[in-house]
Amino acid sequence: MKVGFVYDPIYLKHDTGSHVENFRRLEAITSHLEQTGLTQQLTPIKPRPATIDELSLVHHKQYISSIQEAAQRGGGWLDMDTVMSADSYDVALYAAGGAIKATEAVMNGEINSAFALVRPPGHHATPQRAMGFCLFNNVAIAAKYALAECERIIIIDFDVHHGNGTQEAFYDNPQVLYISTHQYPHYPGTGSTGETGSGTAKGTTVNIPLPGGCGDAEYQQVFEQIVVPATRRFKPQLILVSAGYDPHWADKLALMQVSVTGFARMVEVIKGLAGELCGGRLVLSLEGGYDITALAASVRATFDVLLGKADIEDPIGQTQQKWTAPDLASLIKEIKEIHNLI
Ligand SMILES: [Zn+2]
């Protein structure tokens, strides 16, 4: 089982100061992988900058130039949440290019699966707008890139926030099924069950808006009852994952209660689907995750699952908060009805 990872120190140069999305996230991940001896078990993939043509598969040319110009002016705030520095345009090109390289390596069979450890993250970036810490939509660009060689791709997004940018990029594209689990209502406000795609793509956006307080069992339940049957029915030739670890209970950006073990189980299910449906072709790209200890341990557990290890270590454990587990029965029923998954 050959598992690849994309990383380059250039990703540390997107300087966001004291912002919650900062270079320490990737530093924590890479040093944890190093300390636990995992780095040597993985195949390194060197990223390259995405070309303007590749970015244009998702983003408007005018928007791309506006980010380049903002960097030339030294950076600054693009909206209330999103900040960039003089180097951020170049780093963002490498983030999109990193997701592309990971996808390329999996598509041509060099490796079985890959994880792009990149920043800035991407899933909030729309075709014409930066938002939610994201400049270019790495996963969406990688998906469009891969569509040159395949017909059906699934993007599974388990970040705690709805990937509005990814949804928008493929809302009218029947070749890409976008499935998102997210806290709702929450930032960015989109991702209701009724948003299902348009035109010939009706039904190829599957939103699973969850109440705060969902933990491992609730995520497992929606994966088994919605993600698995929706993926099987679509028969993807490639699975991409927007891997955001902010549903972890220690993460301060939302109210979910997922543990490291819970993430490992989700990745296990996704890996199983990739093995069953598309020759194991699976590419993950890092989105959120802001408690750096939980983030590093969760990314390590993800690699352990990809490598096929039986024992997954959870050094942080389960939440100590006494949440009443939300009852998802009626939500699951509603989504199954909307998407005809019964
Ligand atoms: Zn997030």
Side-chain angles (χ1 to χ4, degrees):
M1 190 60 71
K2 246 180 141 182
V3 179
F5 77 106
V6 170
Y7 177 71
D8 192 286
I10 195 169
Y11 296 128
L12 308 177
K13 289 174 74 180
H14 168 50
D15 182 2
T16 56
S18 57
H19 195 285
V20 68
E21 197 296 293
N22 59 61
F23 71 94
R24 287 176 202 87
R25 299 175 61 234
L26 276 187
E27 257 186 5
I29 292 171
T30 51
S31 68
H32 188 61
L33 295 180
E34 202 63 54
Q35 281 161 17
T36 51
L38 218 71
T39 316
Q40 301 93 290
Q41 300 167 47
L42 304 169
T43 306
I45 301 168
K46 229 183 146 27
R48 61 162 172 85
T51 65
I52 302 294
D53 282 347
E54 288 163 350
L55 296 181
S56 306
L57 293 169
V58 169
H59 298 286
H60 297 179
K61 285 233 162 68
Q62 211 181 350
Y63 167 67
I64 300 167
S65 314
S66 77
I67 298 297
Q68 185 176 22
E69 284 155 20
Q72 283 160 356
R73 290 193 300 268
W77 289 87
L78 301 172
D79 73 359
M80 269 167 58
D81 309 296
T82 315
V83 69
M84 59 181 286
S85 61
D87 289 320
S88 297
Y89 174 72
D90 290 334
V91 182
L93 294 183
Y94 270 90
I100 288 175
K101 281 280 293 224
T103 305
E104 207 170 45
V106 166
M107 290 297 284
N108 65 24
E110 274 169 53
I111 47 171
N112 299 88
S113 56
F115 196 163
L117 301 172
V118 300
R119 57 182 291 273
H123 74 153
H124 294 304
T126 77
Q128 52 202 336
R129 189 175 157 206
M131 59 184 279
F133 323 161
C134 304
L135 302 182
F136 300 129
N137 197 318
N138 310 318
V139 162
I141 293 164
K144 281 270 178 125
Y145 178 85
L147 279 179
E149 287 179 45
C150 63
E151 283 162 11
R152 289 179 313 281
I153 295 173
I154 288 203
I155 300 174
I156 298 173
D157 184 338
F158 61 69
D159 189 281
V160 83
H161 303 98
H162 180 243
N164 59 296
T166 312
Q167 171 171 298
E168 191 175 325
F170 299 108
Y171 208 62
D172 55 2
N173 187 334
Q175 291 185 283
V176 177
L177 178 67
Y178 176 65
I179 310 180
S180 173
T181 52
H182 46 272
Q183 185 174 319
Y184 185 88
H186 195 45
Y187 184 87
T190 49
S192 67
T193 55
E195 296 160 37
T196 62
S198 68
T200 53
K202 194 108 194 126
T204 60
T205 295
V206 179
N207 281 312
I208 309 173
L210 299 166
C214 289
D216 297 353
E218 288 72 35
Y219 271 81
Q220 201 60 26
Q221 201 184 354
V222 296
F223 264 64
E224 276 167 17
Q225 300 206 35
I226 300 166
V227 178
V228 169
T231 303
R232 281 196 177 128
R233 185 173 64 186
F234 193 72
K235 297 188 180 62
Q237 292 151 320
L238 170 69
I239 298 180
L240 298 177
V241 179
S242 268
Y245 296 91
D246 39 13
H248 193 278
W249 62 263
D251 203 288
K252 302 265 189 308
L253 264 67
L255 298 172
M256 294 312 195
Q257 301 296 309
V258 176
S259 70
V260 170
T261 307
F263 287 118
R265 281 200 212 135
M266 287 186 238
V267 175
E268 185 91 57
V269 171
I270 297 170
K271 186 188 164 201
L273 287 167
E276 175 189 327
L277 301 165
C278 48
R281 284 193 291 272
L282 173 60
V283 180
L284 298 89
S285 189
L286 184 66
E287 302 286 359
Y290 304 99
D291 179 283
I292 59 171
T293 311
L295 172 65
S298 302
V299 170
R300 184 217 165 169
T302 299
F303 277 117
D304 280 338
V305 171
L306 296 178
L307 286 163
K309 294 188 185 169
D311 293 326
I312 305 300
E313 226 179 282
D314 183 349
I316 305 170
Q318 298 289 323
T319 177
Q320 297 305 312
Q321 280 192 49
K322 293 279 168 262
W323 280 89
T324 315
D327 183 358
L328 302 182
S330 63
L331 174 71
I332 290 174
K333 186 168 176 281
E334 179 196 338
I335 297 169
K336 282 180 140 186
E337 275 168 13
I338 289 173
H339 290 281
N340 219 0
L341 287 169
I342 298 152

